[in-house]
Amino acid sequence: MEKDAARKRLRQLREKIDEHNYHYHVMDEPLISDADFDALVRELTEIEREFPDLISPDSPTQRVGGQRQEGFASVAHRLPMLSLENALNSGDLRNFVTRAMKLVPEAQLEFVVELKVDGLAVSLQYEAGLFVRGATRGDGEVGEDITHNLRTVKSIPLRLRKPLTLEVRGEVYLPRSSFLALNEERSRQNLPLFANPRNAAAGSLRQLDPQVASSRNLEAVIYGLGYSPALQPHSHYAALNSLKDLGLRISSQIVVLRELAEVVSYCESWRAKRAALPFEIDGLVIKINDLSLQKRLGNTAKSPRWAIAYKFPAEQAETKVLGITVQVGRTGTLTPIAELEPVLLAGTVVKRASLHNEDILREKDVRSGDYVIVRKAGEIIPEVVSVVKEKRTGAEEPFIMPALCPVCGTEAGRLSGEVALRCFNPFCPAQVAERIIHFASRSAMDIKHLGPALVEQLLDAGLISDIADIYTLSGKKAQLLALGRKVEKSVENLLSAIEKSKEQPLWRLLYGLGIRFVGERTARLLAAHFGSIDKLISASPAELEAVEEVGAKISASISEFFALDSSKELVYRLRGAGLKMSEEKENGAEKPLAGKNFVLTGTLSAYSREKAAALIEEAGGRVSSSVSKNTHYLVAGEKPGSKLEKAEKLGVSVLDEQALLVLLAKGQ
Ligand code: IVH
């Protein structure tokens, strides 16, 4: 074949294949048989083999790149990837609507209701129509680059039907049938099974080698826009349809409703229908359709005020209690656990369920040998709902909570006013392990490679015995290398991750210390308020309670924590190791707009430009006069002029005045 003829035929074939892919994946109505489609791909492959220089990166043969990745690069999301608040019943939905109606009283609300597919959120970036980057949600601000794996997902087009630059958000998931087939195959090969389709999808996307993801039949469905100034739809529904026209796969189950009652009954109708779906859903998502209303409603710290997830009540199953054991948590709490005959619950194999504490254990009267109803509520570990007393034979044995900690043997006791039994030995190995695991975890200090298994191994080998010891590991390289092949390979990565964690912001450290009742959000508030750990330590109860959301309970817990000699010593050693113990005030790191560069243009209505600039600077942002690639936001008023053009060219986010006010209020 002549090269020119080959070029021409390749173009024809690619166009045909793209068209058939579109009909198959997006329209769900294939025009030709699989065999005919395969013949087209085969012909394309053969011509490409003969003329390798004619292969284009978006060719259907190029989904699996040759290279195994070295690791995952970070991708900063231009717009945060938020999560959703949950509604568990119609009352919660009503509250959601009432709140929205208060904020936009004059509007007639319209709702889009979609399925909440249970997979992994991803962000997909297209440049001039080409798929260039795909990332996980990560912590919502920064995710991991998994382009190599997402390219293998056939329902993600490598090229859009128009050369647009945009970012979309969606869910990657594994259909039930593929999940079952995968686990069957793994069982044959004696490999550990995946607990549910969601974990299997996550595992597939976290592979360095794209061959693995490619073999897993992952699917993608797009449910929204990310940073996409090229598209200016008026409604969410219109946005989804434009995405469909561009060749992106959206759900075939999307409805627009106006009445709350209709929304509730539509959601309820899925309760029975969900089992028949070829994939798992954990609820529905209700979104306010009008995008200008969405913008006005804005977001809370974690989730939008214009959308909510309607979660189905947890699924239940019956199984037998094989025994009752006691688990010791990070704060020393002794939790009775029912060890169960494995049972399938909401797509997960359940082997253990929490009995919470001695009072509940007594109240429910769960005995070893009992048949029980177990329930799974969201992400939380399953719990025993009730005992099937009719099935008792008389051979069941009541359980008595141990007087001693089952891990260290110290006498267990209760804090006044608490039902939970506790081990008060701060050196109890169970607590130590859990504390270190928490400290290193992604939501706290985010020390990559230092997961639960390695923490246990390091404790067993005597290389660490508390949190501060993590920072002595750089001096114990030889011992680390001796831990076996698996550790050996990652020692350098581990040590550099540990080193990097010293720079983590103060709130992560505060959260990582594991002070009771100090969750991620409280840690952020405390760090922003006090600015340094020393100020926090010396704060009086009244000063602590001056912090938003901190009441007597949290304040007492913080004071108790820092009153302990062991805590003081821990802070002293962490400081000595070089950890950051304060926010850098000079660049306003604790302020909501810290590190963000703004440019103002056009006439603003609520404030003068000077006043707006002052407000931005007060919130920690910087205002400069010209747009560059370092600009994060252009605030455009009336008659914006050439700065707007430049910003659009550079892909800088453009805010109107309203959006600036929201940003100043919320600081995102
Ligand atoms: S919208 C800002 N729509 O549910 C709102 N999410 O907790 C972004 N999900 O992380 C989410 N189906 O992974 C939206 N139709 C849908 C969804 C959906 C599944 C997931 C998504 C998100 C989580 C929300």
Side-chain angles (χ1 to χ4, degrees):
M1 194 189 262
E2 291 289 324
K3 194 154 184 181
D4 275 345
R7 191 175 282 125
K8 194 166 155 213
R9 181 67 187 147
L10 275 180
R11 185 161 12 94
Q12 280 174 348
L13 284 168
R14 272 181 215 138
E15 274 169 16
K16 272 195 186 176
I17 291 170
D18 280 351
E19 197 58 23
H20 287 305
N21 269 333
Y22 175 66
H23 281 277
Y24 183 89
H25 292 289
V26 181
M27 305 305 283
D28 207 14
E29 47 184 26
L31 300 180
I32 54 171
S33 69
D34 287 358
D36 288 346
F37 181 80
D38 291 345
L40 293 174
V41 176
R42 215 165 26 244
E43 186 185 346
L44 177 100
T45 316
E46 273 156 23
I47 303 178
E48 282 183 344
R49 189 174 307 139
E50 201 177 331
F51 299 98
D53 56 323
L54 295 183
I55 300 177
S56 64
D58 60 325
S59 164
T61 58
Q62 302 302 302
R63 284 197 173 265
V64 184
Q67 294 289 314
R68 197 190 138 87
Q69 303 286 304
E70 292 293 327
F72 299 99
S74 295
V75 176
H77 301 303
R78 295 203 61 160
L79 293 175
M81 287 184 82
L82 302 170
S83 60
L84 292 170
E85 224 173 88
N86 291 334
L88 300 175
N89 50 46
S90 58
D92 291 349
L93 271 189
R94 180 176 316 259
N95 288 342
F96 161 72
V97 174
T98 315
R99 182 177 63 180
M101 284 192 340
K102 265 198 203 131
L103 292 167
V104 289
E106 80 295 355
Q108 156 74 49
L109 298 182
E110 206 174 61
F111 307 98
V112 178
V113 188
E114 300 165 6
L115 301 182
K116 188 166 184 305
V117 183
D118 202 9
L120 247 89
V122 293
S123 143
L124 307 179
Q125 290 176 33
Y126 287 87
E127 272 170 25
L130 279 187
F131 175 50
V132 290
R133 196 166 305 105
T136 59
R137 173 172 184 275
D139 63 3
E141 302 281 340
V142 178
E144 285 182 324
D145 188 329
I146 50 164
T147 315
H148 61 293
N149 288 329
L150 290 174
R151 280 180 67 90
T152 71
V153 179
K154 295 211 180 75
S155 41
I156 295 180
L158 297 179
R159 178 193 287 277
L160 298 177
R161 291 158 73 82
K162 280 190 196 152
L164 294 185
T165 295
L166 45 89
E167 185 212 342
V168 295
R169 307 273 168 88
E171 197 85 353
V172 172
Y173 62 95
L174 196 62
R176 286 184 217 268
S177 57
S178 308
F179 166 70
L180 292 172
L182 171 63
N183 260 357
E184 244 167 62
E185 178 58 28
R186 290 177 72 85
S187 147
R188 266 197 294 280
Q189 298 184 11
N190 261 334
L191 291 168
L193 302 187
F194 287 111
N196 54 43
R198 188 192 140 82
N199 286 2
S204 311
L205 290 179
R206 282 214 36 95
Q207 297 286 331
L208 293 169
D209 180 357
Q211 285 291 350
V212 181
S214 164
S215 70
R216 298 254 166 106
N217 294 322
L218 293 165
E219 295 267 7
V221 63
I222 302 303
Y223 54 64
L225 285 177
Y227 177 74
S228 301
L231 290 185
Q232 296 287 346
H234 291 291
S235 70
H236 176 64
Y237 190 72
L240 291 180
N241 281 307
S242 323
L243 296 181
K244 183 173 182 180
D245 292 341
L246 286 171
L248 290 157
R249 180 163 177 264
I250 63 169
S251 166
S252 56
Q253 307 282 356
I254 302 173
V255 295
V256 182
L257 301 171
R258 286 177 161 240
E259 299 299 327
L260 174 65
E262 290 176 313
V263 173
V264 172
S265 70
Y266 180 74
C267 289
E268 281 300 309
S269 75
W270 276 101
R271 202 193 278 243
K273 289 188 289 185
R274 66 192 284 213
L277 282 168
F279 46 84
E280 291 201 342
I281 60 171
D282 56 347
L284 289 102
V285 183
I286 296 107
K287 301 176 182 172
I288 289 174
N289 195 16
D290 187 313
L291 293 184
S292 62
L293 292 181
Q294 285 193 4
K295 206 164 170 187
R296 276 172 61 193
L297 288 165
N299 309 319
T300 64
K302 283 187 183 159
S303 45
R305 287 195 198 86
W306 45 264
I308 194 160
Y310 184 82
K311 289 282 208 77
F312 291 123
E315 280 186 40
Q316 304 194 337
E318 187 182 310
T319 187
K320 190 175 179 182
V321 178
L322 301 174
I324 294 173
T325 57
V326 172
Q327 186 175 294
V328 186
R330 168 158 60 86
T331 51
T333 323
L334 268 49
T335 308
I337 304 279
E339 304 289 340
L340 306 169
E341 206 162 80
V343 60
L344 199 71
L345 184 59
T348 307
V349 181
V350 171
K351 292 185 202 144
R352 314 178 79 210
S354 174
L355 292 163
H356 301 293
N357 59 49
E358 195 171 6
D359 283 8
I360 293 180
L361 172 75
R362 293 262 157 280
E363 187 190 305
K364 293 189 174 155
D365 188 20
V366 183
R367 304 177 183 185
S368 183
D370 266 337
Y371 281 88
V372 290
I373 304 292
V374 286
R375 168 171 76 178
K376 231 179 113 206
E379 308 270 305
I380 313 159
I381 77 157
E383 59 172 357
V384 172
V385 181
S386 59
V387 173
V388 189
K389 297 235 164 101
E390 305 84 81
K391 289 204 173 172
R392 281 214 169 138
T393 62
E396 298 76 14
E397 292 162 33
F399 180 74
I400 298 165
M401 284 294 278
L404 307 179
C405 167
V407 176
C408 69
T410 310
E411 196 171 338
R414 275 194 181 79
L415 283 176
S416 68
E418 278 197 358
V419 280
L421 264 183
R422 236 168 239 291
C423 163
F424 288 113
N425 171 11
F427 301 105
C428 171
Q431 294 181 51
V432 171
E434 292 301 325
R435 272 203 301 268
I436 299 174
I437 291 167
H438 168 75
F439 182 84
S441 69
R442 184 155 99 174
S443 54
M445 294 294 275
D446 194 17
I447 307 182
K448 301 234 160 50
H449 311 282
L450 188 54
L454 183 58
V455 168
E456 298 282 358
Q457 212 180 346
L458 294 172
L459 282 166
D460 286 347
L463 291 180
I464 56 176
S465 56
D466 63 18
I467 289 172
D469 284 345
I470 294 174
Y471 296 96
T472 64
L473 285 172
S474 55
K476 300 178 184 166
K477 222 160 146 182
Q479 290 104 303
L480 285 172
L481 288 169
L483 284 180
R485 266 205 313 140
K486 236 178 117 194
V487 180
E488 190 183 319
K489 273 200 208 143
S490 60
V491 166
E492 289 303 331
N493 291 337
L494 172 70
L495 293 178
S496 86
I498 292 175
E499 194 55 35
K500 230 169 83 186
S501 74
K502 294 180 178 173
E503 286 304 313
Q504 287 289 25
L506 178 61
W507 71 264
R508 285 185 173 272
L509 174 63
L510 294 180
Y511 177 54
L513 289 177
I515 308 168
R516 295 186 68 213
F517 309 127
V518 176
E520 201 178 309
R521 190 175 156 74
T522 308
R524 282 182 193 264
L525 293 169
L526 289 169
H529 186 92
F530 290 105
S532 78
I533 202 162
D534 296 323
K535 289 212 178 101
L536 174 67
I537 293 175
S538 58
S540 67
E543 282 165 339
L544 287 168
E545 284 166 44
V547 179
E548 204 186 326
E549 295 180 24
V550 174
K553 190 171 85 168
I554 302 182
S555 142
S557 168
I558 296 171
S559 303
E560 275 165 28
F561 181 88
F562 287 116
L564 291 175
D565 285 342
S566 54
S567 306
K568 286 187 195 129
E569 193 197 312
L570 176 62
V571 172
Y572 176 80
R573 288 176 59 209
L574 290 175
R575 191 191 306 273
L579 269 74
K580 207 159 93 178
M581 299 268 163
S582 61
E583 302 279 15
E584 278 139 17
K585 275 264 156 115
E586 49 288 8
N587 67 13
E590 85 282 19
K591 296 194 173 170
L593 299 182
K596 300 285 187 224
N597 299 324
F598 287 75
V599 175
L600 304 173
T601 182
T603 317
L604 305 179
S605 60
Y607 301 118
S608 67
R609 256 197 261 169
E610 287 66 20
K611 174 76 181 158
L615 287 172
I616 292 170
E617 280 169 0
E618 211 176 280
R622 244 179 248 149
V623 180
S624 46
S625 55
S626 61
V627 176
S628 74
K629 64 178 190 328
N630 297 324
T631 309
H632 294 96
Y633 298 105
L634 176 76
V635 181
E638 293 287 3
K639 307 216 186 81
S642 66
K643 285 182 191 165
L644 179 61
E645 262 173 52
K646 184 155 183 207
E648 278 170 352
K649 222 183 214 127
L650 291 172
V652 170
S653 293
V654 178
L655 304 177
D656 60 13
E657 214 177 326
Q658 185 72 33
L660 172 66
L661 297 181
V662 173
L663 204 64
L664 282 167
K666 286 285 144 205
Q668 279 142 29

